[in-house]
Amino acid sequence: MIDIENLVLTYPQTRKRALDDVSLSIAPGELVALVGASGSGKTSLLKTINRLIDPDSGTIRLDGEDVSDIAGPLMRRRIGYAFQGIGLFPHMSVAENIGITPQLLGWPIDKIAQRVSELLALVDLPADFSSRSPGMLSGGQQQRVGVARALAARPKVMLMDEPFGALDPLTRDALGQSYRALHSQLGLTTIMVTHDIQEAVLLADRIVVMAGGRIIADGTPRELMSDDADPDVSELMRVPRRQAERVQAILGGAAHV
């Protein structure tokens, strides 16, 4: 579904390579998590896929089609994009926010209204939320609307940049599990940037680790958590294991009280 070959991106103001010969293939239906330190190239990679940024060299194919042959705005209407800031339009209702891409694509009004109703149900929000303004919603509810908006035009591919990062742990976990279910139900192909290694381990089929604009590891959560992993990757992947061990120790200690 997504095929990236030898991608290079240099930011002119710093002359630093944000992406340094990145190649990555993602099969239809996969959920791939991009992890790594800030500045490792994760968000830059997402932005090149939907043509918010054009790379210096290399190719990106979406379902076999070179994205450079597609105008940027048209490209972005074919890909769902959800991010931490959400970006809901405050002067529009929930229904208007969700329906903005179908409207730009020329869908008839009745079809847009039907799609809004379907999506509110899909992201587990009441139908009467359609008339509310974003400011009337909680952070978690706004993020659900953001996911619904990204899904509105029935994209095959979803790009997610720290979509749940600003939420409290309970809401973040609930939305992560809800999105994983939606991903499977709708047959989506998803790339999700996250700084939470535990979230990547629990939600993703594959984890891609980036550092210095390069991919330094790519494998299933089980593979990357094995003792044979690269030392830097191994240290990163020990985080969820240590968290699980601490919780187990607490539960074990409680059992002896």
Side-chain angles (χ1 to χ4, degrees):
M1 179 58 70
I2 302 172
D3 192 31
I4 299 167
E5 294 181 1
N6 308 117
L7 212 63
V8 173
L9 173 67
T10 304
Y11 284 124
Q13 58 271 36
T14 62
R15 297 186 179 276
K16 176 184 176 183
R17 280 197 171 182
L19 299 173
D20 190 2
D21 197 29
V22 170
S23 295
L24 179 66
S25 291
I26 299 173
E30 278 194 302
L31 195 159
V32 174
L34 294 182
V35 303
S38 296
S40 60
K42 305 182 300 296
T43 296
S44 295
L45 183 55
L46 285 194
K47 288 181 176 180
T48 58
I49 293 171
N50 72 354
R51 297 209 57 202
L52 283 171
I53 300 174
D54 287 327
D56 303 332
S57 61
T59 58
I60 304 169
R61 293 183 180 85
L62 179 67
D63 203 12
E65 188 173 5
D66 192 327
V67 302
S68 66
D69 294 335
I70 308 167
L74 294 178
M75 186 75 235
R76 288 186 283 280
R77 291 170 195 172
R78 291 173 50 176
I79 295 177
Y81 193 33
F83 48 94
Q84 182 173 327
I86 306 173
L88 298 180
F89 299 110
H91 61 287
M92 292 183 177
S93 68
V94 165
E96 289 168 336
N97 268 281
I98 294 174
I100 187 68
T101 299
Q103 180 183 351
L104 291 171
L105 290 171
W107 288 25
I109 293 175
D110 58 341
K111 187 178 178 182
I112 294 174
Q114 180 183 357
R115 184 62 175 156
V116 168
S117 296
E118 292 171 355
L119 286 166
L120 285 174
L122 199 62
V123 299
D124 198 25
L125 288 175
D128 63 4
F129 272 41
S130 63
S131 60
R132 297 189 183 186
S133 67
M136 298 172 66
L137 309 183
S138 69
Q141 290 166 344
Q142 288 185 33
Q143 196 63 67
R144 288 181 185 273
V145 174
V147 170
R149 182 176 63 180
L151 292 169
R154 295 189 174 89
K156 295 179 181 179
V157 171
M158 280 282 285
L159 305 179
M160 309 186 81
D161 193 356
E162 287 283 354
F164 314 127
L167 302 174
D168 66 86
L170 285 176
T171 305
R172 180 173 187 150
D173 181 65
L175 281 182
Q177 296 301 321
S178 294
Y179 181 76
R180 177 69 231 203
L182 282 177
H183 167 92
S184 299
Q185 179 184 342
L186 300 176
L188 299 168
T189 302
T190 300
I191 303 179
M192 179 180 69
V193 168
T194 178
H195 282 96
D196 188 330
I197 306 303
Q198 185 176 32
E199 182 175 67
V201 167
L202 294 176
L203 296 182
D205 301 308
R206 281 166 59 199
I207 298 175
V208 173
V209 184
M210 298 191 69
R214 288 180 169 269
I215 292 174
I216 61 171
D218 179 359
T220 67
R222 178 182 290 274
E223 289 168 348
L224 295 190
M225 291 180 74
S226 73
D227 292 334
D228 297 329
D230 172 276
D232 291 336
V233 176
S234 182
E235 181 61 27
L236 184 69
M237 300 307 294
R238 279 197 196 102
V239 173
R241 182 180 293 169
R242 285 198 297 264
Q243 291 172 333
E245 288 171 352
R246 287 199 293 268
V247 170
Q248 189 60 46
I250 291 169
L251 292 175
H256 290 90
V257 174

